[in-house]
Amino acid sequence: MSNFKKALLSTLAVLACFALLTALVTAPYYLNGVYNYQDAKVRRDLAGEFDVLVSGASQGLRAIDPLALDRALGCTSYDLGTPLQTMYGRYLTLKQEMERNPVSLVIIELSYDAMARDYAYYGFEGSVYQLGRADSAGQWLDYLIHQVPPKDWVRLLHDTLTRGVYTWKQLLKNGPYVPFQYETHGFQPGLKGVPMPETSLYEADYHKETLPTNVEEENLYYLDKCLELCRERGVEAVLISTPLSEYMLWNCDGFDEILATHRGVSEKWGVPLYDFNLKKDKLERYPEETAYCDQHHLCEASAQEFPKDLADILLRARAGEDVSGEFYATYDEAIHARKAQWAEGGTGSGV
């Protein structure tokens, strides 16, 4: 046998051993993961049960407790959200779950940064979350090739091996792990409410920060693909934005430009958009003192209340009622109108 063939066979043998060792270390991580973003096994085991799916990133994940939505809307729902989720990741997950569940409604959450996200934003961490909840090798490879630059592949391998070792330790120590999502249907409980900045800072900090208002074409493309899935299957779709702290609405410039982008998608596809930051009773329903775990996420208690407000709007709209009067037209109008309520002694302002 020539030296070249020997070297080639030796190389292939080393690669095969490395692949086998990698599979052995990482298999529990993917098959019975212990991280709170891993719900592939849950979704697979519960497939066929859900008629409502919530597709979003961390804002949607934190704002909607599916069990509360079930009680308010009379459905069986699952929250597919995960932190730093890309629109491509949403599309892959939504497509899979629509294929194996009798879905009649898809709720697509659009946060203030949903259309501007790129790899520099969601980056390595967001990819770890999405790949860690992949439900098949094909889905994992699809996301890896489309979303993770090759320069990060070695880093990803190291991170996955580390998580695999941790998973092995936990399983050997505690036995098989039962994901909490079996009970919560995707929701991640545990975030407590903390007071937001004093209202006296609102005007002083008005528009000191600027939000990214650009639209990444890939995000728009895969949001369109999500809505196309719904149209092709005759599934009702709605777009929503969940409540942010009033301080953030004052502090950050760019919300109305982002709203215009969201409305453009809504008009293009003929689906409703309900932005609950424009809701006229926002401060009453979501007080700054208790409703948020940080400036852009609702706390666990609010995630029990928001589904009631969402269901109320959806049911009234389905019945033919014009619900547009429940909302202000723009962010600028909303924050200044609510400021006038404070001056008149309205609720929820802390003033």
Side-chain angles (χ1 to χ4, degrees):
M1 184 180 294
S2 69
N3 290 334
F4 174 76
K5 288 184 177 179
K6 289 181 179 179
L8 179 60
L9 289 175
S10 297
T11 301
L12 291 176
V14 169
L15 291 175
C17 290
F18 179 74
L20 182 61
L21 179 61
T22 299
L24 179 64
V25 172
T26 60
Y29 171 65
Y30 288 111
L31 298 177
N32 194 17
V34 299
Y35 290 87
N36 60 14
Y37 56 85
Q38 293 184 285
D39 64 345
K41 187 175 186 300
V42 175
R43 289 183 285 114
R44 185 167 57 251
D45 289 348
L46 299 183
E49 295 188 13
F50 303 110
D51 56 356
V52 174
L53 297 175
V54 180
S55 176
S58 59
Q59 278 80 12
L61 176 65
R62 301 305 185 192
I64 299 177
D65 181 337
L67 301 185
L69 184 64
D70 294 353
R71 293 189 292 270
L73 196 57
C75 63
T76 304
S77 60
Y78 195 94
D79 194 331
L80 298 173
T82 196
L84 298 174
Q85 190 169 36
T86 65
M87 203 60 71
Y88 185 68
R90 294 197 203 190
Y91 169 71
L92 290 180
T93 307
L94 181 62
K95 182 174 184 292
Q96 182 179 53
E97 297 310 321
M98 290 184 72
E99 289 173 348
R100 60 188 186 186
N101 286 280
V103 180
S104 60
L105 170 65
V106 171
I107 300 168
I108 298 178
E109 175 266 323
L110 295 178
S111 58
Y112 59 90
D113 56 359
M115 305 306 293
R117 291 182 173 183
D118 58 14
Y119 193 78
Y121 182 97
Y122 67 83
F124 182 79
E125 183 182 2
S127 296
V128 167
Y129 296 153
Q130 184 64 30
L131 291 169
R133 67 196 301 247
D135 194 24
S136 68
Q139 190 181 78
W140 186 93
L141 188 61
D142 191 337
Y143 187 90
L144 175 73
I145 293 172
H146 283 88
Q147 297 285 281
V148 184
K151 67 180 179 67
D152 275 347
W153 287 4
V154 172
R155 182 185 174 196
L156 179 66
L157 175 61
H158 177 268
D159 183 90
T160 304
L161 288 170
T162 301
R163 292 171 189 264
V165 170
Y166 175 79
T167 303
W168 267 113
K169 290 179 178 178
Q170 294 300 112
L171 294 176
L172 291 172
K173 178 181 178 181
N174 302 316
Y177 173 71
V178 180
F180 61 85
Q181 289 95 337
Y182 279 109
E183 294 185 2
T184 68
H185 291 179
F187 181 64
Q188 296 183 15
L191 294 178
K192 306 301 181 183
V194 297
M196 293 296 100
E198 294 292 332
T199 54
S200 59
L201 297 175
Y202 288 11
E203 288 188 293
D205 291 346
Y206 180 66
H207 286 184
K208 280 191 173 182
E209 305 291 335
T210 301
L211 297 172
T213 58
N214 60 297
V215 177
E216 292 290 324
E217 288 303 314
E218 183 177 84
N219 293 330
L220 183 58
Y221 176 78
Y222 283 107
L223 176 56
D224 283 345
K225 293 288 284 184
C226 289
L227 291 166
E228 185 178 56
L229 282 175
C230 296
R231 178 175 290 180
E232 288 175 348
R233 289 166 170 75
V235 171
E236 179 186 3
V238 297
L239 308 175
I240 68 166
S241 293
T242 62
L244 307 169
S245 72
E246 196 75 0
Y247 173 79
M248 185 175 181
L249 304 189
W250 279 86
N251 181 232
C252 296
D253 188 20
F255 278 114
D256 278 319
E257 291 179 63
I258 295 166
L259 176 63
T261 297
H262 294 174
R263 281 179 171 160
V265 175
S266 168
E267 292 166 4
K268 175 182 178 180
W269 287 93
V271 299
L273 167 68
Y274 303 118
D275 189 330
F276 284 82
N277 293 293
L278 305 178
K279 196 79 161 47
K280 292 181 177 178
D281 63 352
K282 173 178 176 285
L283 291 179
E284 179 181 348
R285 295 291 294 143
Y286 307 101
E288 292 286 279
E289 298 83 0
T290 59
Y292 303 92
C293 65
D294 57 37
Q295 292 183 22
H296 47 112
H297 294 98
L298 292 174
C299 68
E300 181 180 353
S302 296
Q304 309 300 313
E305 297 303 314
F306 179 70
K308 299 176 186 176
D309 293 347
L310 175 58
D312 175 66
I313 291 296
L314 293 178
L315 291 173
R316 289 163 59 189
R318 284 179 182 174
E321 181 179 345
D322 180 4
V323 296
S324 61
E326 298 286 340
F327 301 86
Y328 293 111
T330 68
Y331 276 75
D332 188 63
E333 178 190 10
I335 63 174
H336 286 94
R338 289 194 287 254
K339 178 189 173 186
Q341 294 175 13
W342 307 343
E344 296 171 2
T347 60
S349 67
V351 175

